[in-house]
Amino acid sequence: MSKHKVKGIDSAILHQAFIDSFKKLNPKILIKNPVIFVVEIGFFLTLLLTIHPAIFSEAETNLRVFNAIICFILFVTVLFANFAEAIAEGRGKAQADSLKKTRKNTVANLLKADGTTTQVDAGSLKKGDIVIVNTGELIPSDGVVIEGIASVDESAITGESAPVVKEAGGDFSSVTGGTRVVSDKIKVKISVSAGESFLDKMINLVEGAERKKTPNEIALNTVLVGLTLIFLVVIVTLFPMGLYVGVQLPLSTLIALLVCLIPTTIGGLLSAIGIAGMDRVNKFNVIAMSGKAVETCGDINTIILDKTGTITFGNRLASEFIPVEGVSKKDIIEYSVISSLKDLTPEGRSIVELGKKFECILDEKDYEKAEFLEFSAQTKTSGINLTDGRKVRKGSGSSIKKFVEEQNGTVPKDLDEIVDRVSRLGGTPLVLAVNNKVLGVIYLKDTVKPGLKERFDNIRKMGIKTIMCTGDNPLTAETIAREAGIDEFVAECTPEQKIEVIKREQAQGKLIAMTGDGTNDAPALAQADVGIAMNSGTTAAKEAANMVDLDSDPTKILEVVEIGKQLLITRGALTTFSIANDVAKYFAIIPAMFIVAIPQMEILNIMKLSSPVSAIVSALIFNAIIIPLLVPIALRGVSYKPMKIEIMLLKNLAIYGVGGILAPFVGIKLIDMIITPMLRALGM
């Protein structure tokens, strides 16, 4: 999805996660995860039964070894669940530690009322303070440039090595704490209080321990608690039912059944999935103000995008050579390329590249002695004077007409019609002339970024509509929308109209995402369900949005939506797998509990497990080890291809639903085959 790579799990993270797994055994911490907390209670009860087996019933006296085995497996189950969450948190904490180094011991040059400066600790700065940042110094906190212009290295935050220019006024005045000024000097007004900078928010976000649960996660947690309570009631009623048929069920067996039937797998992975989802967003250099914003991305119905810089490059590049009547296309292509060989502007380079597509490839060395004329605001032309006296010029229609008339030439009758046609399409007509003869028009247009059409097709397959809002005229907007594969466009769009578009879509019950960077985008960003502001944009835009893209890449919204989708899909897939697991565990444990008193229940022992004890222990072991085996999927996310939600649901039900039923049958049977000799050696 992106050039950014998700960092793997190194040995340091694993070591710390192992230590944290034991720390999380504290009931005060574990009670936040009710399902695993129930498993821990089961562990303490079986531990008590192992130490004092007769405390519950005299029958338990002969089950000390069995109770000890159950106790150990339950302990490992809790440990594995803690380990899954600790690994996810560990990746975030490693990134947070790296970010903390960025802001550590930063000194600020605070400007006092008398015009002098004094050095203070960056942490003591208040909103409204003014600081001076010189070449080579770190910007102490988020703020706005109020005087000066400078190149700022933002690689510590964004990972991009190329410095960006920041200057007072306009949409590129916002600066981020922890970035470094690499040239010149700027005066910055601090815009946040201590602990509220984007760097602080990012650190708090990536530290999993401080992550708040999202609404969907809370809802799923409630469902899991409900299922746990239901199975708890079932297990409690099984004891008197057993007595009725003449079977006194050991407490450890009932606990084993409860642990196997409650959704321990998803209970152990739920936090890890959420933390990992946030972690993936951070790896894309996006600061989310809340987990809810990331999760909402997974439910987005409509994406609203600006045209310039998002869908198109923003530079007008050569698209077509249009000769006037009586001129061959070959001539206009050749002279267009000649006039642009030494033109280093984006337009000039694009003319040379377009010429190559028509097999017009010229050697710049052949024109070394020619006189190149750069574009002049006075003449509105650029060009080249060749050594044989030919003068090649390109520029606006009026300026080239004047040039030709000065050479005693005539203007072709169809020139104005071509210029008007290109202008109506929203393009820039660059007229080309050689001496006193007009050859035609170079059609410059804002070019759609490569690969966007395919990405919008993928977005459409997910059931998401795209709307382009642009200030261009309807004809230009329609052309760009058609080329990019946009579903809908709004031409000559004002900031007020953007809000109207968002409200219109929201009135239909849809969730909206949009990007923006200017002050005029702030109201729309605030109105949208997910607003992504560019880090290079204004403070107003960043404060209105609930996400900030540190790379200032407007197309990042497409990737963030995909991450949100992946987060929800991963949670749904593993929940399906976990619940499906319970079906197989039922066939392992229930027959084992009653087969002595009710021989007919042998028919349910479809796995042909060797003994009741082996069946219970095998099911418990599988229940424990499946959690760490699924950790890589929880961290990486379920891979998926954009498709309609109905197809995606059926696909995941087929893979994780059916897989969740089949995997325990295979796994429990294999474990049974391995542990049976060991249990027999113990006299069980």
Side-chain angles (χ1 to χ4, degrees):
M1 287 186 292
S2 168
K3 62 185 177 180
H4 297 277
K5 293 182 180 179
V6 178
K7 183 182 176 182
I9 304 170
D10 57 31
S11 57
I13 292 176
L14 287 173
H15 180 261
Q16 187 59 47
F18 180 73
I19 295 172
D20 289 344
S21 299
F22 286 90
K23 292 180 179 178
K24 289 176 179 290
L25 291 172
N26 185 339
K28 291 182 180 179
I29 298 175
L30 206 59
I31 198 170
K32 295 177 183 178
N33 190 337
V35 177
I36 303 303
F37 182 65
V38 169
V39 180
E40 186 174 48
I41 292 174
F43 157 69
F44 284 120
L45 287 174
T46 51
L47 179 62
L48 186 62
L49 288 171
T50 303
I51 299 170
H52 300 289
I55 195 171
F56 175 69
S57 168
E58 288 296 330
E60 299 280 345
T61 308
N62 301 322
L63 297 173
R64 188 189 294 269
V65 176
F66 177 70
N67 292 341
I69 293 172
I70 300 297
C71 175
F72 175 74
I73 297 173
L74 294 183
F75 175 74
V76 172
T77 303
V78 177
L79 210 60
F80 281 165
N82 290 346
F83 186 68
E85 183 175 15
I87 286 180
E89 290 178 354
R91 295 204 307 178
K93 288 177 180 177
Q95 187 183 4
D97 290 340
S98 175
L99 292 171
K100 285 175 182 177
K101 292 177 183 177
T102 303
R103 67 175 185 181
K104 190 176 181 181
N105 299 327
T106 303
V107 175
N109 301 312
L110 179 64
L111 185 66
K112 297 196 292 187
D114 59 4
T116 61
T117 60
T118 180
Q119 289 195 334
V120 299
D121 181 71
S124 65
L125 292 173
K126 302 184 296 295
K127 188 175 182 178
D129 284 345
I130 297 175
V131 296
I132 305 295
V133 189
N134 301 298
T135 302
E137 294 179 344
L138 288 175
I139 295 172
S141 185
D142 295 356
V144 178
V145 179
I146 58 175
E147 186 179 307
I149 179 171
S151 294
V152 178
D153 176 8
E154 296 187 328
S155 60
I157 304 295
T158 67
E160 299 296 327
S161 56
V164 293
V165 176
K166 300 289 185 177
E167 59 183 320
D171 288 346
F172 295 93
S173 60
S174 176
V175 291
T176 306
T179 57
R180 188 180 299 274
V181 173
V182 293
S183 72
D184 303 294
K185 180 175 72 172
I186 50 176
K187 185 185 291 185
V188 176
K189 184 176 183 179
I190 304 301
S191 59
V192 297
S193 301
E196 296 179 358
S197 69
F198 284 114
L199 194 58
D200 290 310
K201 290 176 182 177
M202 191 168 188
I203 290 169
N204 290 335
L205 180 69
V206 299
E207 289 186 311
E210 304 200 17
R211 186 188 62 89
K212 294 182 179 179
K213 290 184 178 180
T214 61
N216 279 348
E217 196 172 344
I218 292 170
L220 180 56
N221 209 49
T222 303
V223 171
L224 298 183
V225 170
L227 286 173
T228 301
L229 290 173
I230 290 170
F231 283 120
L232 187 60
V233 172
V234 170
I235 298 305
V236 170
T237 57
L238 270 179
F239 184 74
M241 287 174 62
L243 292 176
Y244 180 76
V245 297
V247 178
Q248 183 170 339
L249 297 172
L251 179 59
S252 52
T253 300
L254 292 172
I255 292 172
L257 178 62
L258 175 63
V259 170
C260 283
L261 292 185
I262 64 176
T264 49
T265 305
I266 189 62
L269 294 172
L270 189 59
S271 292
I273 294 168
I275 295 169
M278 301 292 288
D279 185 47
R280 284 195 293 277
V281 171
N282 296 329
K283 290 294 189 293
F284 280 81
N285 280 343
V286 174
I287 295 179
M289 303 308 173
S290 68
K292 182 182 178 182
V294 180
E295 203 168 70
T296 303
C297 286
D299 293 322
I300 287 300
N301 305 109
T302 304
I303 300 178
I304 296 177
L305 305 120
D306 189 24
K307 177 183 78 70
T308 305
T310 304
I311 297 170
T312 64
F313 283 106
N315 295 324
R316 295 185 179 272
L317 307 178
S319 174
E320 186 180 354
F321 299 111
I322 308 173
V324 294
E325 188 177 352
V327 175
S328 69
K329 194 159 188 176
K330 180 181 177 182
D331 284 345
I332 186 175
I333 293 172
E334 182 178 352
Y335 279 106
S336 295
V337 173
I338 290 172
S339 70
S340 305
L341 281 174
K342 295 185 178 181
D343 185 351
L344 300 180
T345 63
E347 294 84 357
R349 294 292 88 194
S350 70
I351 292 171
V352 175
E353 289 301 315
L354 184 61
K356 289 179 181 178
K357 293 181 181 179
F358 289 97
E359 299 182 352
C360 180
I361 303 174
L362 305 178
D363 191 343
E364 195 172 325
K365 293 180 181 178
D366 296 338
Y367 299 88
E368 283 182 347
K369 295 182 180 179
E371 180 188 5
F372 174 69
L373 303 175
E374 293 185 5
F375 177 80
S376 167
Q378 285 73 34
T379 63
K380 293 185 179 179
T381 63
S382 65
I384 191 169
N385 293 331
L386 302 177
T387 53
D388 60 5
R390 285 175 294 168
K391 297 179 179 179
V392 186
R393 297 289 185 274
K394 63 179 188 285
S396 66
S398 58
S399 61
I400 294 299
K401 283 181 183 179
K402 183 179 179 182
F403 170 78
V404 169
E405 289 168 354
E406 288 175 352
Q407 305 289 320
N408 298 318
T410 57
V411 177
K413 294 179 180 179
D414 59 338
L415 178 63
D416 287 340
E417 186 273 327
I418 295 173
V419 169
D420 288 344
R421 174 156 50 92
V422 171
S423 297
R424 285 198 304 274
L425 289 171
T428 300
L430 206 58
V431 181
L432 181 75
V434 178
N435 293 333
N436 63 354
K437 183 180 180 181
V438 175
L439 300 187
V441 173
I442 304 170
Y443 176 13
L444 300 180
K445 61 176 288 190
D446 202 353
T447 309
V448 173
K449 292 181 178 179
L452 271 190
K453 192 175 192 306
E454 291 75 16
R455 296 187 69 183
F456 286 134
D457 287 342
N458 288 338
I459 290 291
R460 192 174 297 108
K461 289 176 184 176
M462 288 190 249
I464 299 174
K465 182 170 76 172
T466 51
I467 300 177
M468 179 183 76
C469 291
T470 175
D472 288 334
N473 63 66
L475 194 57
T476 302
E478 183 181 5
T479 302
I480 295 296
R482 186 172 56 252
E483 287 184 26
I486 296 291
D487 297 317
E488 189 179 317
F489 67 89
V490 180
E492 298 174 346
C493 186
T494 64
E496 292 75 20
Q497 286 176 312
K498 281 186 182 180
I499 297 177
E500 289 175 10
V501 172
I502 294 171
K503 287 182 176 179
R504 182 195 71 196
E505 293 292 310
Q506 288 174 331
Q508 299 173 26
K510 297 178 180 178
L511 295 178
I512 315 300
M514 77 161 288
T515 62
D517 59 0
T519 301
N520 61 349
D521 290 325
L525 287 169
Q527 179 67 38
D529 299 284
V530 176
I532 303 181
M534 302 299 102
N535 190 44
S536 61
T538 61
T539 301
K542 289 191 280 189
E543 288 179 348
N546 45 24
M547 287 188 182
V548 176
D549 175 22
L550 297 174
D551 293 333
S552 299
D553 176 7
T555 61
K556 191 78 69 70
I557 189 172
L558 303 178
E559 291 164 334
V560 172
V561 167
E562 288 178 359
I563 291 172
K565 288 280 185 189
Q566 189 182 39
L567 173 62
L568 294 181
I569 291 167
T570 301
R571 189 178 291 154
L574 293 184
T575 300
T576 303
F577 185 89
S578 175
I579 294 173
N581 264 213
D582 294 340
V583 176
K585 296 171 195 170
Y586 172 88
F587 282 101
I589 294 185
I590 294 295
M593 293 172 65
F594 294 99
I595 201 167
V596 175
I598 312 174
Q600 292 85 349
M601 293 200 74
E602 174 66 29
I603 197 172
L604 294 177
N605 185 19
I606 59 178
M607 284 183 271
K608 302 301 178 184
L609 301 176
S610 58
S611 70
V613 172
S614 174
I616 294 168
V617 173
S618 297
L620 267 185
I621 291 175
F622 177 85
N623 192 66
I625 64 174
I626 197 65
I627 295 175
L629 289 178
L630 291 175
V631 166
I633 296 177
L635 297 182
R636 186 179 63 250
V638 172
S639 61
Y640 76 102
K641 292 181 180 178
M643 60 185 72
K644 289 186 177 179
I645 197 72
E646 298 86 357
I647 299 174
M648 195 179 301
L649 177 62
L650 291 173
K651 179 184 175 183
N652 285 332
L653 282 175
I655 296 173
Y656 292 94
V658 176
I661 293 174
L662 296 179
F665 278 97
V666 176
I668 291 172
K669 180 61 179 178
L670 287 174
I671 295 170
D672 174 72
M673 294 168 64
I674 294 170
I675 69 170
T676 295
M678 302 178 191
L679 292 175
R680 285 174 180 169
L682 293 170
M684 302 174 66

